[in-house]
Amino acid sequence: MVRFVLKRMVYMLITLFIISSFTFFLMKLLPGSPFNNEEKLTAEQKVILNEKYGLNDPIPVQYFNYMSNLVKGDAGVSFQYDNRPVSTMITERIGPSAVLGVEATIFGTIIGLILGIAAALKQNSAIDYVSSLFAVLGISIPSFVFAGVLQYYVGVKLDWLPVALWDGPKYHVLPALSLSVFVIATVARFMRTEMLEVLGQDYITTAKSKGLKSIVVIWKHTIRNAMIPVVTILGPLAINLITGTLIIERIFAVPGLGYQFVGSITLNDYPVIMATTIFYSVCFIVVILIVDILYGIIDPRIRVAGGKE
Amino acid sequence: MKKSKWSLLLTIVLVLSVFLSACSGKNGKDDKANGNASEGNGSSSKEKVLNLLDSSEIPYLDNIMADDSVSLNVANNVYEGLYTLDDKDQPVLSGAAEEPQEKDGGKTWVFKLRDDAVWNNGEKVTANDYVFAWRKAVAKETATQYSFIYQVAGILNADKILNPEDKMYNKTDQLGVKAIDDHTLEVKFAADPASKPYTKAVLSFPTFYPQNEAFVKKQGKEFALEADKALYNGPYTLSKWEHEKGWQLKKNPKYWDKNNVKVDTINVNVVKEEATRINLFETGKADRTTISAEYVDQYKDKKDIFSTVPESTLFFLRMNQKNKALANENIRHALDMGWDKKQLTDVLLNNGSVPAYFLVPSKFVNGPDGSDFREKYGDLNKGDAKKAKELWEKGLKELGTKKVELTLLNYDSDTAQKDAQFIKNQLEKNLPGLSLKIKPQPFKQKLKLEEKLDYDISYAGWGPDYPDPMTFVDMFVTGSPHNEMNYSNKKYDDLIKKASSETDLKKRWAMMQDAEKILIQDDAAISPMYQRGLAYITKPNLKNVVNHSFGGDFSYKNWDVK
């Protein structure tokens, strides 16, 4: 197991290097400079500004400088926010995004699992139809529609919860709920399909014929086996939510990372684009590793390392 | 096996506890949020609180680096320079105790600073604070985008210090500013500021505010990165700053004019989504917000809360004379006349914008006799579709063609797309033989294409850098970096050149008016579209709200909650 993780770590570093290099050169293809009032700057001013931020150097030199600083742990300073260190910008903003993402993932997964399991166990019943309908709606209607509806009806009309802003737990409810709709729908759909497939397997028939209680059959043999694909999709899904979602953060004025990332791209804030991309990549890679490890725990038949446990 | 069961149970317990704690918060924290709509609950204290919204985090708290509307607005309220803009948008003394004593035939101004102007750490604001800040602003290492404002103000040697080709480049100690003693500041100008009636107003711009040298040096790289890493000498202090979420301004107890500051606390939340801003206003969590065309109809009839403010920003179509058809004067006149500007502002924009037949916006600045710049010539090159068609056909004959294909370079926003579509339909209907293609581009790409003159027609905008018509009219002199359309008229160039050194203000004014007339009436070099307006909804108890046409948008010092 340790050898497996170590080996994966090496791969991860290589992947990260490729991703950051690729992003660096792609980013340099964006038109324009990172300066705000570009249309008002004189040629001399542009020279001075470019010099200050080291943008006059040839791109390979800039690349080398950036990468060597990065290895030393220096991700640079933001162009649009007064030379603020990029690392503090990310740590300040990841908090709200992560809290919201975790809440939405946990809530969405639980509800999704319940719906999916119930639908599969009572196939073609009313529960099944309702759950399927919900899954279709949840996947096809974008989350900002739910967000808008929730904000207007629950926030403005009923005045039950705050319309937006970020000032304590009750401010989390509407954005987390809006985010979780997609999770619920996805998880429910996957779980139902997988459950139905597993229920048709021979070993379930065997288990039943052994005289096991149906709760044991469902819990130990069906759900457990059906969980594998759900875990696979859940990892990336959770990372998407945790690292910030542009639209929901924008609608509910959550001071998170999602909007920052998009904003830095439109403003050509190179260090922020780089750091955020690398941060996202690290999250993804780590989650994929965790998912791989989880496989082994859920289903001992899948032994990622091939060791002799 | 057993282990996994327990971990699942544990997860469920954890999840439940998260939700339970979320629920318990509902009852506990509520009171705080409900009470502060505008005025704190009367009985306990008479604290006046305002809740405002802004669209972005503060990019710069350092007044010298500030180059965007959010930063400039904060700087305008937490710091103070020699002058500030009053509620009629006129420069009035603030950090300076009296109007300057003039020497060298007006080319040197000597300011006496206020005795009672202090930083919020108790130290006095000294003349050296100004010298330090001004030199910092023109230094190469600072590289602030607004360093050019020192050239605009005509401070001695600013142009040379800022020019990498010049021998004096980056020799900031050569800048025309000196501390005679702690309370006396001497400012030298390159030319007699009498030819620049806007000098005092320009000095109210945040790039000219002082900075406490010892404090700035002590903070080093951290200076102005957090609320407590800056010193304040303005009517307010920044008491709280949560990045990306919002900030809070508190009345500065050490401010010399604190008795005239009415509102005690101003909370600003960052909200980028317009619908959310309106919902916050509707639920009493915000006292004022801008609204766009889609929402104007909903509020237009609520006279107590709805208002529009004309901005001094002008939108116009650049016509690139490198294009053969656009080099023809009749074609340009026809294109400018051939569409209904009023319909664009009234139906599509619907936010208080007014149709423009001019370059210098109306209600922007008054001339030496107190009249608006627009009064003399009014609307230029105004005509109807019939006249446009005549000119168009004349132009086509001159070109010896029946068809003209042009591309309209555009912003990539939804509203700009609608505007362009409207213009396209009108022009193609009114000017037979014209086909206009719309080419939306991301902002930076659009600027690049304009710079390279790689376009036919372009939807462009311009806001003033200082309160004077010159900020508009000198854009189009031959060779100006902002000309970007190959326009050149010697008569125009001469008028602008003469005007920029003319000390007889009446003559100067008339020259700029004549130049504008040449540009639009005679040459139709640009096709003005509209002067932008902003629509607001404001709680009726909010009084004395004034938008500045230049620098920071607002002076909260004048605002009041009744």
Side-chain angles (χ1 to χ4, degrees):
Chain A
M1 194 66 176
V2 176
R3 244 186 72 200
F4 164 73
V5 174
L6 281 178
K7 206 166 128 197
R8 285 292 293 265
M9 294 282 220
V10 175
Y11 286 142
M12 278 160 66
L13 284 178
I14 296 171
T15 318
L16 266 183
F17 174 76
I18 295 172
I19 291 175
S20 42
S21 307
F22 203 63
T23 317
F24 189 91
F25 290 106
L26 269 184
M27 176 178 83
K28 291 288 174 186
L29 292 177
L30 290 171
S33 70
F35 310 123
N36 238 338
N37 296 325
E38 216 190 335
E39 75 262 45
K40 302 217 162 171
L41 296 178
T42 60
E44 288 115 46
Q45 268 187 307
K46 279 184 195 163
V47 172
I48 298 177
L49 284 166
N50 279 327
E51 197 185 311
K52 179 177 175 185
Y53 292 109
L55 298 173
N56 281 336
D57 299 331
I59 288 177
V61 175
Q62 291 183 34
Y63 171 72
F64 182 78
N65 289 343
Y66 182 83
M67 288 311 244
S68 54
N69 282 335
L70 193 65
V71 172
K72 288 180 223 147
D74 175 9
V77 293
S78 164
F79 294 171
Q80 47 167 331
Y81 289 121
D82 203 359
N83 301 332
R84 206 173 285 282
V86 173
S87 47
T88 53
M89 278 180 61
I90 292 185
T91 41
E92 272 164 9
R93 287 165 174 78
I94 186 64
S97 295
V99 169
L100 208 53
V102 168
E103 286 167 353
T105 312
I106 293 174
F107 179 73
T109 311
I110 294 173
I111 303 294
L113 283 179
I114 293 172
L115 278 180
I117 293 168
L121 292 180
K122 305 263 181 224
Q123 203 189 352
N124 297 333
S125 71
I127 297 177
D128 188 17
Y129 294 135
V130 170
S131 145
S132 301
L133 182 71
F134 191 84
V136 171
L137 290 180
I139 285 171
S140 48
I141 299 178
S143 60
F144 62 82
V145 175
F146 289 109
V149 169
L150 282 176
Q151 184 181 67
Y152 187 69
Y153 286 99
V154 183
V156 180
K157 285 278 152 192
L158 298 169
D159 200 13
W160 285 352
L161 288 164
V163 162
L165 305 182
W166 192 251
D167 259 338
K170 68 175 175 170
Y171 289 82
H172 300 194
V173 181
L174 293 186
L177 216 56
S178 320
L179 275 182
S180 68
V181 173
F182 185 76
V183 184
I184 297 176
T186 315
V187 170
R189 201 176 51 137
F190 263 86
M191 198 60 194
R192 177 180 179 274
T193 320
E194 282 307 312
M195 283 280 288
L196 288 178
E197 195 180 324
V198 174
L199 282 171
Q201 297 281 347
D202 290 345
Y203 58 79
I204 299 293
T205 323
T206 315
K208 280 184 187 159
S209 61
K210 272 202 304 190
L212 287 179
K213 280 190 209 146
S214 67
I215 180 86
V216 179
V217 175
I218 291 167
W219 183 249
K220 239 174 153 178
H221 298 280
T222 321
I223 293 184
R224 202 180 158 115
N225 283 305
M227 279 297 280
I228 292 167
V230 177
V231 168
T232 313
I233 54 149
L234 211 53
L237 196 64
I239 284 302
N240 257 334
L241 298 183
I242 289 167
T243 48
T245 49
L246 164 70
I247 296 172
I248 297 298
E249 284 179 8
R250 193 185 150 99
I251 291 178
F252 291 102
V254 177
L257 195 60
Y259 195 81
Q260 189 52 54
F261 185 41
V262 179
S264 65
I265 293 175
T266 51
L267 289 165
N268 283 5
D269 193 346
Y270 302 128
V272 179
I273 303 178
M274 282 305 291
T276 325
T277 315
I278 295 173
F279 177 75
Y280 279 15
S281 316
V282 171
C283 292
F284 265 106
I285 297 173
V286 169
V287 160
I288 291 171
L289 176 69
I290 294 174
V291 167
D292 282 352
I293 296 171
L294 273 183
Y295 282 159
I297 296 171
I298 297 171
D299 187 345
R301 284 174 307 179
I302 306 174
R303 276 281 176 255
V304 271
K308 32 186 156 54
E309 259 180 90
Chain B
M1 283 290 167
K2 261 183 190 161
K3 220 164 77 188
S4 71
K5 233 183 242 170
W6 280 112
S7 61
L8 197 79
L9 191 71
L10 198 70
T11 322
I12 292 173
V13 171
L14 266 174
V15 170
L16 277 177
S17 64
V18 168
F19 276 93
L20 286 176
S21 70
C23 294
S24 68
K26 267 180 207 167
N27 308 323
K29 270 194 129 184
D30 224 354
D31 325 21
K32 205 184 91 200
N34 276 339
N36 64 358
S38 298
E39 205 161 343
N41 284 341
S43 56
S44 57
S45 69
K46 281 189 293 181
E47 213 207 349
K48 288 181 175 177
V49 181
L50 255 181
N51 294 301
L52 301 176
L53 306 173
D54 217 323
S55 59
S56 136
E57 148 86 342
I58 307 172
Y60 295 102
L61 182 57
D62 182 341
N63 56 291
I64 285 174
M65 298 304 295
D67 60 15
D68 57 279
S69 62
V70 179
S71 303
L72 290 171
N73 189 40
V74 170
N76 186 41
N77 287 292
V78 298
Y79 308 121
E80 183 178 78
L82 297 167
Y83 289 91
T84 190
L85 295 179
D86 68 2
D87 53 0
K88 284 167 206 76
D89 228 11
Q90 297 304 312
V92 289
L93 291 166
S94 51
E98 51 197 67
E99 291 294 345
Q101 196 192 342
E102 295 185 12
K103 293 201 307 202
D104 298 344
K107 277 166 86 174
T108 301
W109 288 5
V110 180
F111 286 99
K112 282 271 169 229
L113 301 183
R114 294 197 72 91
D115 256 345
D116 48 356
V118 289
W119 297 102
N120 65 325
N121 68 354
E123 289 176 28
K124 289 203 165 183
V125 177
T126 65
N128 181 61
D129 294 342
Y130 283 90
V131 176
F132 169 72
W134 289 23
R135 285 181 179 168
K136 177 177 161 185
V138 293
K140 177 186 119 184
E141 300 74 42
T142 312
T144 171
Q145 300 197 34
Y146 261 102
S147 55
F148 74 86
I149 200 111
Y150 280 76
Q151 284 163 272
V152 169
I155 308 292
L156 184 68
N157 292 337
D159 48 346
K160 293 177 187 154
I161 295 168
L162 288 166
N163 183 2
E165 314 278 294
D166 198 281
K167 266 193 296 197
M168 215 186 267
Y169 177 51
N170 205 27
K171 297 205 168 123
T172 57
D173 53 344
Q174 301 291 315
L175 189 70
V177 59
K178 204 166 100 188
I180 307 278
D181 60 44
D182 267 5
H183 285 286
T184 317
L185 183 74
E186 184 190 84
V187 180
K188 284 193 167 153
F189 295 93
D192 185 356
S195 65
K196 294 176 174 166
Y198 50 83
T199 304
K200 285 175 185 170
V202 173
L203 291 179
S204 77
F205 199 82
T207 322
F208 287 101
Y209 295 170
Q211 288 190 348
N212 184 312
E213 183 170 6
F215 184 85
V216 173
K217 290 205 164 137
K218 199 180 125 207
Q219 298 299 333
K221 271 190 175 170
E222 307 261 282
F223 172 68
L225 288 191
E226 302 296 334
D228 57 355
K229 303 275 186 206
L231 283 185
Y232 309 103
N233 67 333
Y236 287 90
T237 62
L238 186 68
S239 49
K240 205 160 74 181
W241 184 12
E242 295 172 85
H243 301 291
E244 204 71 24
K245 184 181 154 205
W247 56 92
Q248 184 183 55
L249 301 178
K250 281 235 184 256
K251 188 171 166 174
N252 183 355
K254 298 221 166 76
Y255 184 59
W256 60 270
D257 197 19
K258 62 171 184 286
N259 294 337
N260 284 321
V261 180
K262 289 130 203 149
V263 179
D264 300 278
T265 306
I266 297 171
N267 299 307
V268 184
N269 277 301
V270 176
V271 180
K272 295 171 197 289
E273 182 67 32
E274 182 170 31
T276 306
R277 290 205 281 263
I278 289 170
N279 285 339
L280 286 167
F281 179 86
E282 286 292 335
T283 49
K285 296 284 186 284
D287 295 332
R288 179 176 162 90
T289 179
T290 50
I291 56 173
S292 65
E294 299 94 295
Y295 295 94
V296 165
D297 286 332
Q298 200 178 322
Y299 289 100
K300 208 158 48 182
D301 300 326
K302 298 181 181 167
K303 292 272 183 283
D304 54 334
I305 59 170
F306 179 79
S307 62
T308 59
V309 180
E311 286 190 301
S312 301
T313 305
L314 186 89
F315 285 85
F316 58 94
L317 298 174
R318 284 180 189 277
M319 292 186 272
N320 183 2
Q321 300 194 14
K322 267 187 142 182
N323 180 295
K324 234 186 31 268
L326 292 173
N328 183 293
E329 212 178 284
N330 286 318
I331 296 283
R332 292 201 305 272
H333 274 106
L335 284 168
D336 181 32
M337 243 179 245
W339 60 281
D340 189 346
K341 296 175 182 175
K342 197 162 161 43
Q343 210 175 329
L344 175 77
T345 57
D346 292 1
V347 180
L348 267 80
L349 298 166
N350 192 23
N351 56 2
S353 297
V354 291
Y357 305 90
F358 45 75
L359 171 64
V360 178
S362 64
K363 295 188 186 119
F364 169 45
V365 271
N366 291 333
D369 60 350
S371 67
D372 195 274
F373 190 85
R374 295 255 54 77
E375 253 170 49
K376 188 166 174 192
Y377 291 123
D379 292 343
L380 302 169
N381 198 43
K382 196 177 178 179
D384 53 13
K386 212 180 122 208
K387 181 90 193 295
K389 198 178 162 197
E390 269 169 39
L391 288 165
W392 176 254
E393 277 161 358
K394 209 169 138 199
L396 287 185
K397 225 178 239 168
E398 283 163 9
L399 288 169
T401 175
K402 288 208 161 124
K403 269 188 186 157
V404 173
E405 275 181 34
L406 294 170
T407 310
L408 169 59
L409 179 62
N410 197 10
Y411 300 101
D412 59 355
S413 73
D414 288 348
T415 46
Q417 255 12 280
K418 282 185 217 156
D419 300 348
Q421 197 61 44
F422 170 77
I423 293 170
K424 174 189 154 84
N425 291 345
Q426 290 246 314
L427 285 178
E428 287 183 348
K429 191 182 75 191
N430 295 336
L431 308 177
L434 172 72
S435 88
L436 192 64
K437 226 171 72 194
I438 300 169
K439 179 180 173 187
Q441 289 289 311
F443 185 57
K444 304 245 168 191
Q445 180 67 15
K446 178 178 166 288
L447 290 180
K448 211 170 187 176
L449 292 173
E450 284 174 331
E451 200 180 325
K452 288 196 290 189
L453 292 180
D454 188 3
Y455 72 95
D456 301 335
I457 300 179
S458 161
Y459 188 158
W462 191 259
D465 291 327
Y466 48 96
D468 191 84
M470 193 56 93
T471 185
F472 285 96
V473 289
D474 79 351
M475 277 168 81
F476 298 111
V477 293
T478 310
S480 153
H482 306 304
N483 187 317
E484 293 181 342
M485 50 200 217
N486 220 27
Y487 170 69
S488 177
N489 183 327
K490 188 145 185 316
K491 251 166 74 192
Y492 183 84
D493 294 353
D494 285 346
L495 275 171
I496 301 300
K497 205 173 159 213
K498 267 198 235 153
S500 51
S501 57
E502 178 60 64
T503 50
D504 182 335
L505 296 182
K506 276 191 181 153
K507 276 193 198 158
R508 174 179 182 273
W509 199 253
M511 285 172 188
M512 292 191 290
Q513 284 172 322
D514 291 343
E516 190 201 35
K517 193 172 167 230
I518 293 177
L519 184 82
I520 296 168
Q521 183 79 24
D522 300 356
D523 291 349
I526 58 164
S527 172
M529 298 166 71
Y530 58 93
Q531 178 179 351
R532 186 166 68 183
L534 269 181
Y536 283 96
I537 42 177
T538 312
K539 287 251 187 77
N541 60 350
L542 188 53
K543 305 290 179 200
N544 285 348
V545 173
V546 180
N547 284 53
H548 293 312
S549 60
F550 155 80
D553 286 337
F554 306 107
S555 295
Y556 299 133
K557 183 183 166 183
N558 303 324
W559 291 24
D560 199 1
V561 180
K562 287 272 155 73

